[in-house]
């Protein structure tokens, strides 16, 4: 099996070089403000921190942040930026291609349409587009807090394999679903309608691996697929198996009396429900609430 974990030795080597030469620490982050991705500048000062966007072959790969770099001379910032890009861009691009190849192989093993499947760079662009959507700018006004360290992402352990989102607007429901998907470090985000024809039993669902299955308007789902979901949710939890994120614009009270939902699935939904319209608007506060509701606290 291909190694999908980023080679930490390159980061450690670079950290040692930066510390010895400039007396600074570095942080590797996967997401950044989309404005930095489109910029032609080698680096940006945001507050007192130096942000170096990493790209290769027109593919945005991540950002290295150097905290408290305002005291460095311009020449030192340029030298540091060059050093960071020389070490990290080849490493990250190799990791990116390896991960992409491995996951595409997994996708080819599944007999479902990939028309609406979102993986890696597609989700990255989609999430940054959502964050910078002028129509909903207040909802994810993250002020760069959307950036996440790779190691922090790996710590997200879910309490439940089903999370239900209820809210009046499906667009916002989906944005929250994407945020949970990102926090849970899942490799793909796929609508359940696309895989439903290939699901005959629980084993078919489990074989999909650690992706996110998005079930919008859960009450409209075929009863046969609902039954498979119930059987899946009643099995022992495994972090390497699918996360189900369901949504509905109906309230929990309405769902409680909705006869189109299988009873056992309805119970699971009501237990693991999150009211999006009552959630805080800022990214940081929403992230904290989601962690409190659906993630186990990290011991590290």
């Amino acid at each position: 099996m291909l190694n999908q974990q980023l080679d930490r030795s390159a980061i450690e080597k670079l950290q040692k070089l930066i510390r010895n030469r400039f007396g600074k620490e570095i942080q590797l982050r996967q997401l950044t403000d989309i404005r930095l991705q489109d910029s032609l500048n080698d680096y940006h000062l945001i507050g007192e921190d130096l942000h170096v966007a990493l790209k290769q072959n027109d593919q945005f790969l991540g950002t290295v942040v150097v905290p408290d770099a305002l005291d460095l001379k311009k020449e030192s910032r340029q030298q540091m930026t060059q050093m960071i890009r020389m070490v990290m861009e080849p490493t990250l691009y190799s990791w990116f291609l390896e991960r992409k190849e491995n996951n595409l192989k997994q996708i080819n093993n599944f007999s479902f349409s990939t028309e609406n499947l979102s993986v890696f760079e597609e989700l990255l662009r989609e999430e940054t587009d959502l964050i910078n959507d002028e129509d909903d700018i207040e909802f994810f006004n993250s002020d760069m807090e959307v950036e996440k360290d790779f190691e922090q992402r790996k710590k997200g352990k879910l309490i439940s394999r089903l999370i239900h989102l209820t809210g009046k607007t499906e667009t916002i429901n989906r944005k929250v679903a994407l945020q949970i998907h990102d926090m849970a470090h899942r490799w793909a985000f796929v609508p359940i309608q696309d895989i439903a024809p290939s699901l005959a039993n629980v084993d078919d669902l489990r074989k999909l691996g650690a992706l996110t299955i998005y079930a919008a308007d859960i009450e409209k789902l075929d009863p046969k697929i609902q039954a498979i979901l119930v059987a899946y949710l009643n099995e022992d939890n495994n972090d390497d198996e699918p996360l189900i994120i369901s949504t509905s614009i109906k309230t929990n009270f309405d769902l409680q009396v909705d006869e189109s939902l299988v009873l056992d699935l309805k119970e699971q939904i009501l237990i693991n429900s999150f009211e999006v319209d009552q959630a805080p608007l800022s990214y940081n506060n929403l992230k904290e609430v989601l962690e409190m509701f659906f993630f186990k606290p990290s011991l590290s």
Side-chain angles (χ1 to χ4, degrees):
M1 180 176 179
L2 289 173
N3 178 21
Q4 291 193 29
Q5 304 302 324
L6 180 63
D7 182 6
R8 303 300 300 181
S9 62
I11 302 176
E12 293 169 359
K13 176 182 178 181
L14 178 62
Q15 176 67 84
K16 185 176 180 180
L17 290 171
I18 297 296
R19 186 185 297 119
N20 290 342
R21 184 163 183 176
F22 302 101
K24 301 295 181 182
E25 303 293 324
I26 62 172
Q27 300 170 1
L28 175 62
R29 299 176 179 177
Q30 188 175 14
L31 300 183
T32 189
D33 190 308
I34 196 169
R35 293 168 297 180
L36 298 190
Q37 297 183 34
D38 295 334
S39 173
L40 298 177
N41 294 341
D42 289 338
Y43 67 86
H44 293 262
L45 273 174
I46 301 178
E48 297 185 353
D49 301 339
L50 181 73
H51 290 241
V52 181
L54 305 174
K55 304 177 185 179
Q56 189 161 324
N57 292 342
D58 296 322
Q59 173 61 48
F60 175 77
L61 302 169
T63 306
V64 168
V65 179
V66 184
D68 303 320
L70 189 60
D71 60 332
L72 293 176
K73 295 180 179 179
K74 183 177 180 180
E75 181 180 353
S76 295
R77 293 176 197 157
Q78 291 173 338
Q79 291 175 352
M80 183 187 298
T81 297
Q82 184 178 15
M83 185 181 297
I84 289 171
R85 295 183 64 185
M86 286 179 61
V87 173
M88 292 309 305
E89 285 181 339
T91 299
L92 283 172
Y93 192 63
S94 175
W95 172 82
F96 164 79
L97 292 177
E98 181 181 14
R99 184 179 179 187
K100 181 175 181 178
E101 179 184 4
N102 184 51
N103 283 284
L104 289 175
K105 286 180 180 178
Q106 293 188 49
I107 292 170
N108 288 332
N109 292 329
F110 307 144
S111 56
F112 62 83
S113 169
T114 59
E115 181 181 356
N116 296 316
L117 180 69
S118 297
V119 292
F120 337 118
E121 66 272 27
E122 288 88 350
L123 271 176
L124 177 61
R125 286 195 297 268
E126 185 171 21
E127 289 174 355
T128 49
D129 286 345
L130 288 174
I131 291 162
N132 291 277
D133 189 338
E134 292 182 357
D135 294 333
D136 297 295
I137 191 67
E138 184 182 14
F139 186 82
F140 275 101
N141 185 16
S142 60
D143 293 331
M144 300 303 296
E145 293 299 335
V146 69
E147 297 171 348
K148 303 175 185 66
D149 185 271
F150 280 103
E151 292 302 314
Q152 290 297 322
R153 286 169 53 85
K154 295 173 188 174
K155 293 178 182 178
K157 300 296 183 181
L158 292 159
I159 293 174
S160 171
R161 284 187 291 177
L162 170 70
I163 296 174
H164 178 72
L165 306 176
T166 176
K168 297 177 182 178
T169 307
E170 175 56 29
T171 302
I172 302 301
N173 291 344
R174 189 171 186 275
K175 288 182 181 182
V176 176
L178 280 168
Q179 182 170 335
I180 296 171
H181 161 83
D182 189 63
M183 292 166 63
H185 197 54
R186 299 279 150 160
W187 67 266
F189 186 94
V190 58
I192 195 167
Q193 290 81 1
D194 288 0
I195 64 172
S198 300
L199 297 180
N201 51 49
V202 175
D203 286 339
D204 290 338
L205 188 60
R206 293 173 61 245
K207 289 175 183 177
L208 295 176
L211 51 66
T212 298
I213 297 175
Y214 182 65
D217 298 322
I218 185 67
E219 69 276 7
K220 298 179 182 178
L221 199 59
D222 184 277
K224 177 185 174 182
I225 303 300
Q226 291 188 40
I228 293 175
L229 292 181
V230 170
Y232 170 70
L233 295 170
N234 286 335
E235 291 187 346
D236 291 337
N237 198 341
N238 188 328
D239 291 334
D240 294 327
E241 294 175 352
L243 164 66
I244 313 297
I245 301 182
S246 63
T247 69
S248 179
I249 60 174
K250 291 187 175 183
T251 66
N252 286 343
F253 177 80
D254 291 335
L255 290 179
Q256 197 165 10
V257 298
D258 193 322
E259 296 182 356
S260 62
L261 277 172
V262 173
L263 181 59
D264 289 344
L265 182 59
K266 184 186 299 185
E267 292 177 354
Q268 293 268 11
I269 284 172
L270 295 175
I271 291 172
N272 297 288
S273 180
F274 182 79
E275 295 188 23
V276 172
D277 295 335
Q278 302 299 319
L281 295 179
S282 70
Y283 176 88
N284 259 1
N285 291 339
L286 178 59
K287 181 175 181 290
E288 290 178 4
V289 172
L290 291 172
E291 287 175 341
M292 180 176 63
F293 270 72
F294 301 117
F295 290 82
K296 300 175 184 177
S298 172
L299 298 178
S300 59

